[in-house]
Amino acid sequence: MRQIPVETTGATVMVAKAPQPKVKDRRTGEIATDMETGAKLMTVDVMFAANDEVEILSITVPETGISGELTMGTPVALTGLIARPWENEFNGQKRHGIAFRAVAVTSLVDATAKPKAA
């Protein structure tokens, strides 16, 4: 399957929704895992702003690739971001889209920084 590297240099990326476990099967609640490492997969929604356009992207990332506190509005770096086109048929209807996956989502907020007193 084709994987397309996504260039993030020059983009502003912030958490839109905190990481959530990626559900493999909604009926059973089974959590998705990485086929190679067995790591639990998470989904992080991010605001991706570049070239005067803003989109909300849902990024799949291994739980081990999440570092720092990722709350709404936290600026983050996306390591190894790729886009993968997909297509399937469900109940006779064809669906298609682009899935995004990253090796890591890292907070750009210094956890040791303390707010300055006014």
Side-chain angles (χ1 to χ4, degrees), residues 5-61:
V6 178
E7 178 60 51
T8 60
T9 305
T12 299
V13 185
M14 290 191 291
V15 174
K17 185 176 179 185
Q20 304 288 318
K22 182 176 177 117
V23 178
K24 181 177 183 177
D25 186 334
R26 290 185 183 141
R27 291 172 293 176
T28 65
E30 180 184 359
I31 303 301
T33 57
D34 184 279
M35 290 190 298
E36 293 176 13
T37 66
K40 182 165 108 173
L41 293 176
M42 304 293 283
T43 302
V44 181
D45 290 353
V46 299
M47 179 202 73
F48 190 94
N51 304 320
D52 294 326
E53 292 186 22
V54 177
E55 291 190 52
I56 301 294
L57 304 179
S58 191
I59 312 287
T60 299
V61 62

Side-chain angles (χ1 to χ4, degrees), residues 88-95:
N88 65 23
E89 191 170 326
F90 184 72
N91 289 336
Q93 291 189 334
K94 284 194 175 189
R95 298 175 52 202

